[in-house]
Amino acid sequence: QKEVEQNSGPLSVPEGAIASLNCTYSDRVSQSFFWYRQYSGKSPELIMSIYSNGDKEDGRFTAQLNKASQYVSLLIRDSQPSDSATYLCAVTGFQKLVFGTGTRLLVSP
Amino acid sequence: SQTIHQWPATLVQPVGSPLSLECTVEGTSNPNLYWYRQAAGRGLQLLFYSIGIGQISSEVPQNLSASRPQDRQFILSSKKLLLSDSGFYLCAWSVFVRQGDYTFGSGTRLTVV
């Protein structure tokens, strides 16, 4: 079983819609959870972090965490074509960050 | 403010040639440093991480090595490159080991031919 699992996509949504990205993890002791965005050919950049169960909102982005289900999600409201990228879920392990393989999001105008 | 520099941006090397990629961080002391590789269409694979000068932890056995000769300098090396070493190499730093707010360098795209 992979430590962090994501659907590779692509996830296609029309402009203005809500994009929902999901991630599951295997290590129950993980404490910190992150979403990175990676544009094609570029390096990842951190967009959201979440540490406790529930929702965390930042602008158009909402991260959701359910530790009992070992599940993390990212909602992007009012999706824009500029949101088209690969979204990487990351979970802290022992002295390192473990990344999922990412979900590719395509937002069509 | 802190910045991370990584070079070169692209590199084409023949099989069997040596490799040296350099990463430096400015504006902070004692950063935690990481080398990741991203093969085409695949996720980020942690290669090495360092929590201090001379302290290197290897995650994947391979023909790569890493060194940290100075506090804010992290070097990835190979004596003989393989075709399978091709990929996008990313250096990153963080303040705390157990937190995941990494800042990545701009990456080096390595093609071994």
Side-chain angles (χ1 to χ4, degrees):
Chain A
Q1 181 187 8
K2 291 183 180 178
E3 294 180 79
V4 181
E5 295 205 47
Q6 296 181 256
N7 188 317
S8 61
L11 172 66
S12 296
V13 299
E15 184 175 356
I18 296 176
S20 178
L21 306 163
N22 304 313
C23 169
T24 58
Y25 61 96
S26 60
D27 189 353
R28 286 191 170 274
V29 302
S30 296
Q31 294 295 316
S32 305
F33 308 86
F34 305 85
W35 285 98
Y36 284 78
R37 179 177 60 201
Q38 186 176 24
Y39 291 113
S40 180
K42 303 296 184 182
S43 58
E45 57 178 330
L46 180 66
I47 55 172
M48 287 289 287
S49 59
I50 187 166
Y51 305 101
S52 55
N53 282 327
D55 296 358
K56 178 182 177 182
E57 186 175 320
D58 184 0
R60 296 186 296 113
F61 299 100
T62 298
Q64 299 175 316
L65 173 61
N66 184 326
K67 290 186 178 180
S69 300
Q70 295 175 246
Y71 178 90
V72 192
S73 65
L74 179 70
L75 300 178
I76 306 175
R77 291 181 300 281
D78 188 25
S79 295
Q80 300 297 309
S82 58
D83 294 326
S84 297
T86 296
Y87 289 80
L88 305 172
C89 174
V91 174
T92 49
F94 179 69
Q95 291 190 329
K96 63 183 181 181
L97 194 61
V98 180
F99 286 85
T101 54
T103 298
R104 187 176 169 210
L105 173 66
L106 297 175
V107 182
S108 54
Chain B
S1 62
Q2 302 90 354
T3 56
I4 179 168
H5 301 281
Q6 190 179 343
W7 66 93
T10 60
L11 196 58
V12 179
Q13 292 285 98
V15 169
S17 64
L19 173 73
S20 181
L21 302 180
E22 189 164 342
C23 171
T24 59
V25 179
E26 295 179 355
T28 187
S29 296
N30 197 32
N32 298 297
L33 296 171
Y34 312 86
W35 278 111
Y36 281 87
R37 177 173 62 198
Q38 189 173 39
R42 301 183 65 180
L44 287 167
Q45 179 187 35
L46 179 63
L47 302 175
F48 301 94
Y49 66 93
S50 171
I51 62 173
I53 295 176
Q55 300 180 65
I56 309 291
S57 296
S58 174
E59 286 291 305
V60 182
Q62 55 205 342
N63 67 323
L64 298 173
S65 62
S67 62
R68 185 169 177 173
Q70 299 180 39
D71 180 43
R72 291 170 289 178
Q73 184 184 29
F74 206 20
I75 297 173
L76 182 69
S77 304
S78 174
K79 293 182 179 179
K80 289 185 177 181
L81 285 169
L82 306 173
L83 286 174
S84 57
D85 291 324
S86 294
F88 191 38
Y89 287 80
L90 290 156
C91 180
W93 78 275
S94 70
V95 175
F96 300 108
V97 170
R98 289 190 176 274
Q99 291 188 3
D101 50 344
Y102 290 13
T103 300
F104 284 87
S106 54
T108 295
R109 190 161 302 281
L110 171 67
T111 303
V112 182
V113 297

